[in-house]
Amino acid sequence: MVNVTTERVGVDNTTGDAISQGTNYYLSWRNNYSRPCINLEDGTPEISSIPRYFNTNWAEKFIKTNNEFCNISNEDNDNNDKSSFEMNNFKTTSKLLDNSKLADSSSPISYTQNYTNGYLKSNNNSNNNNNNNNNNNNNNSNDDKRPELNTYNSNTKNNTHYKNYHNTGHEEQNDNPNGARIAYNNYQSRSSRGVGNTNVNHNTGSNTGSSSSSSNNNNDYHSTSGSSIDDSSRNSYGDSNTNNYYYSSRNNNYDYSNRGSNGTRQRGTYGERNRNYYSSQRFQLDYNNSIQTKYKCENRGKWEDNKHIPAKKNLKVEKYLFGSIDDLNLVTTGINFDHYDNIPIDISGNNVPEPITQFTSPPLDNLLVENIKLARFNKPTPIQKYSIPIVNQGRDLMACAQTGSGKTDAFLFPILSKAFSLGPSINNNNDNDNDANQYNKISKYRAKNIKPIILILAPTRELANQIFEEARKFSYRSWIRPCVVYGGTNIFTQMKNLENGSQLLVATPGRLNDLMERGKISLSNIKYLILDEADRMLDMGFELQIRQIVEHYDMPIATSRQTLMFSATFPSNIQNLAGDFLNDYIFLSVGKIGSTTDNIIQHIYYVRQEEKDNTLLDLLDSKNYKKKQTLIFVETKRSADALTDLLIIEGYKATAIHGDRTQLERERALTAFKTKRANVLVATSVAARGLDIPNVAHVLNYDLPNNIDDYVHRIGRTGRVGNIGMATSFFNENNALIAKRLVGLLRETNQQVPKFLNDIPRNNSHNNNSYTNNSHNSRKMKNSFRSYRQQGRNSKNHSKNSHEGFYSQRTLGGRRTERERDTTRNINPKIYSVRPPHNRKKKWGSQWGDSIISVDNQSDEQQVWW
Ligand SMILES: Nc1ncnc2c1ncn2[C@@H]1O[C@H](COP(=O)(O)OP(=O)(O)OP(=O)(O)O)[C@@H](O)[C@H]1O
């Protein structure tokens, strides 16, 4: 049963009067409590039961047809009205408004992308009845449904409102025009048990005084507390929580206990998650600001009469782009920066030019050198020394250099410098036109002025964004306008932004293909094609998409463009494949291919699967790691959430980034970590490559990857540009496949190799199947692990930081008591974002659950979205 049903009723969009069916404008609400606001039979309002404001104001707003979008407001409501409703931005597909389905509790409501920023308020005593009625319904409701309307109605009790309420379980950026009244609530919206919701008031603080504020609000923490309440008996908690954080914690605890041990974390998640919404208001603001600035903070030069005319300096923009010297957000070079000069260089190809030693003009453009100074780069890194003259000479390049050694600028500097001095040169090459099929012609025709000359492709959204930011920095004052397009964000906004022209486009392959299919961009003018993380871009996951971009559309052929590929790892099979896209290229490798920098101190600990949590907590509390910015890698999205929950419960400022979070959440999490508002970032492999996060002191592989290259990229998030970093990995039987390569890598970089890794039979770890197939070796390996485990158990005083193993003090001495945990929580009540557990997806319908890929070792573009 559902409690509120909707049905189409014609409404005059200027007067708000209900009119007969057949108009373009529909709106419909009534609750099934047989007090219809609107007579559904003939579409006319029943004046007696329709609140006045429904007639006067709602149509002033935007009420759109076909059940897609309604924006209803009762701004005239003077709060004395009974049964007042207010809803904003209610968007749904037609099925939601199918009355018969809604009325039928046994048939799941199957709609897609149902999205509401709903806002509902009711001050009517009689709604209490309604509410009770709803409670029953809610209790009986089927979890397989997404009970938007249940939830609405369950909240028709006194003084409740929702803001930015997203029914389908995904957080969404709210573009609710109500400004300050925006707040978030996700979890309740999914709860069909909505009684607890009735006392929730989601208040941002800025909400005070708005007509939507109700009596029991005006405190950030109140919303926190209420939001995790799950049954009616807790309403009183909700009430008393109004202004008190502590109670909110108690509510969460209460939930935990009710859920049993397994549910503890889940409820924790909900609770924390809601807290996050409010504590993260600032994140949201930051995000909005940055989006706005992203498009506004420009200072463009011109290309006129075949001359580059740089724009005047703008100190504000300069500060925004280059930061100040004490800016936390900047990565600064470390004490070992000069050691880069000692790394051996391997270079092959015809006519290799001499490396440069300084950033000077020539060979670089004057403006670029000025910008490099603004970025406070004193001298080039080895990869930059070589790549700048190579690209200047017009050569293709396949380059491999250690993580954090400045590869991004190694391709940006020379291409920007060339673009600054050469200007836009329209590609008149007809070869490509001959190849162009009908589709391409259409594409060219429609893609009027969006013809970038530089295209940079990256595997993840965050990396694409980062490269864009770097390009924006170094194209300051120039005629080049960088743009970025990636999935998970509004494609129309991106298209609109592109319409202002873009000479340098950074993209993830999926989104670029999408835009190409829509004919929004033409690649006919591309002079430089760059694949960052090239080995990843050419492996099985992306190769097809890259081929599509390079070969299917109107991009000039390899001889008519310059192609550059960069990565820290380059397996030889991928090198061969890369040859397809390159023309007479130079191969450059700084240091050993696929190796890591010895600025990273690597520890490998033997940790049994079931001891990982405790060991992690011990580690994070230990002297060497305490309060350091720590990036933790796990294998799956689910475990990322679970671990983040645990850390939050234990009082750490933790947040998570993985492919199941919305882009907004991902960006917020990253911002929180970068600005040290969160000290721990739990990530899947989606954050393994390319991300340049300042001050990551410690990378922790809670789960080791199966592939050594992934390991190299992951630990490469620390120890960048000459800084010292620390990487710790938990190793156990599950990681046998990586053991041999790991030992090799540790030796190569002069790290201590733990005995248990040495003990693993040689031929086991490098062949994927040997561990399982070769029973002799398999037994040998198991024995070796067993004796090792035994040794750990017997030795309670085992050194915590021994290279041989890490035995959790918690495991040896017992877990922390509940009280200890509470203490931590109260001392450190600031909680950061996590996403609710994934099982909710399964809960909410097979259409979601079916499409979820649980192992997140894939990048964005590969993930299946609902
Ligand atoms: N010449 C330089 N002097 C000082 N800092 C530099 C220099 N070149 C680059 N950097 C800075 O070094 C940091 C790391 O650079 P970048 O992200 O390009 O590394 P990378 O080699 O691409 O790493 P990864 O392999 O992880 O992608 C950035 O913050 C960048 O601004």
Side-chain angles (χ1 to χ4, degrees), residues 330-333 337 359 372 375-381 383-384 401-411 413 463 466 470 473-474 532-533 567-568 688-692 713 716-717 720-721:
L330 287 180
V331 177
T332 45
T333 52
F337 187 73
F359 293 124
I372 292 174
R376 295 173 281 273
F377 290 5
N378 296 325
K379 67 173 199 176
T381 63
I383 185 81
Q384 293 163 357
Q402 293 163 340
T403 50
S405 62
K407 292 188 288 296
T408 312
D409 296 325
F411 60 75
F413 289 171
L463 181 55
Q466 183 181 296
E470 197 74 355
K473 212 191 260 184
F474 292 104
D532 196 14
E533 306 297 342
S567 184
R689 281 178 179 256
L691 293 191
D692 188 44
H713 286 282
R717 298 315 100 211
R720 298 172 75 76
V721 269

Side-chain angles (χ1 to χ4, degrees), residues 617-846:
L617 295 173
D618 281 349
L619 252 185
L620 293 178
D621 282 348
S622 65
K623 206 172 103 210
N624 283 347
Y625 303 92
K626 210 168 189 172
K627 298 232 166 109
K628 298 232 165 94
Q629 290 303 98
T630 302
L631 177 57
I632 303 178
F633 283 103
V634 295
E635 201 49 35
T636 65
K637 302 170 212 173
R638 181 189 288 257
S639 46
D641 278 340
L643 188 59
T644 314
D645 294 346
L646 174 74
L647 290 171
I648 286 170
I649 289 167
E650 294 288 341
Y652 297 95
K653 295 176 186 173
T655 183
I657 183 167
H658 59 71
D660 253 6
R661 305 201 79 192
T662 64
Q663 192 51 31
L664 177 61
E665 288 172 319
R666 282 162 60 157
E667 291 185 18
R668 273 191 202 154
L670 208 53
T671 310
F673 189 60
K674 279 183 175 173
T675 53
K676 294 195 172 178
R677 278 178 285 187
N679 303 125
V680 183
L681 179 65
V682 183
T684 55
S685 284
V686 78
R689 281 178 179 256
L691 293 191
D692 188 44
I693 305 169
N695 309 315
V696 177
H698 186 201
V699 171
L700 200 144
N701 282 307
Y702 180 95
D703 298 320
L704 267 166
N706 288 329
N707 183 319
I708 195 71
D709 286 349
D710 289 347
Y711 174 82
V712 168
H713 286 282
R714 283 183 181 189
I715 67 168
R717 298 315 100 211
T718 185
R720 298 172 75 76
V721 269
N723 290 291
I724 301 289
M726 235 172 344
T728 305
S729 303
F730 293 168
F731 184 97
N732 61 32
E733 290 88 334
N734 300 335
N735 310 116
L737 293 178
I738 201 183
K740 186 185 173 195
R741 302 288 305 273
L742 194 56
V743 171
L745 190 77
L746 292 172
R747 292 216 173 103
E748 232 168 68
T749 45
N750 305 320
Q751 305 291 315
Q752 210 175 326
V753 181
K755 190 166 174 303
F756 67 86
L757 269 185
N758 266 327
D759 288 350
I760 293 175
R762 279 291 148 255
N763 54 346
N764 256 324
S765 47
H766 93 136
N767 177 345
N768 281 4
N769 296 321
S770 57
Y771 179 55
T772 41
N773 290 350
N774 183 329
S775 59
H776 172 68
N777 280 337
S778 167
R779 225 174 303 121
K780 218 166 143 195
M781 184 187 288
K782 277 181 185 156
N783 286 339
S784 122
F785 282 128
R786 194 171 305 130
S787 65
Y788 194 72
R789 280 204 301 266
Q790 199 53 48
Q791 178 194 338
R793 243 183 251 126
N794 294 341
S795 132
K796 292 208 169 187
N797 295 326
H798 201 92
S799 154
K800 271 172 92 177
N801 288 326
S802 146
H803 260 276
E804 297 305 309
F806 198 105
Y807 290 93
S808 164
Q809 298 308 299
R810 283 175 176 79
T811 310
L812 298 175
R815 283 186 76 101
R816 276 203 228 182
T817 62
E818 192 62 32
R819 189 163 160 205
E820 277 170 332
R821 286 211 210 120
D822 275 352
T823 314
T824 325
R825 255 202 298 276
N826 289 330
I827 286 170
N828 187 1
K830 216 162 181 178
I831 301 297
Y832 289 80
S833 160
V834 290
R835 203 166 157 72
H838 296 280
N839 58 3
R840 75 189 152 76
K841 292 209 160 174
K842 295 213 173 79
K843 257 181 162 180
W844 298 110
S846 58

Side-chain angles (χ1 to χ4, degrees), residues 169-184:
H170 273 256
E171 295 169 6
E172 283 287 338
Q173 173 71 27
N174 182 22
D175 44 21
N176 187 330
N178 284 325
R181 292 193 293 186
I182 296 173
Y184 282 97

Side-chain angles (χ1 to χ4, degrees), residues 448-471:
K448 282 177 220 146
N449 57 348
I450 313 171
K451 291 185 173 184
I453 59 171
I454 302 162
L455 176 64
I456 304 171
L457 295 173
T460 63
R461 299 162 185 173
E462 287 75 15
L463 181 55
N465 202 32
Q466 183 181 296
I467 297 169
F468 160 75
E469 294 289 349
E470 197 74 355

Side-chain angles (χ1 to χ4, degrees), residues 573-590:
N573 58 330
I574 303 281
Q575 285 180 34
N576 295 337
L577 190 66
D580 290 0
F581 299 90
L582 295 159
N583 171 46
D584 185 24
Y585 66 93
I586 289 175
F587 181 83
L588 166 67
S589 138
V590 182

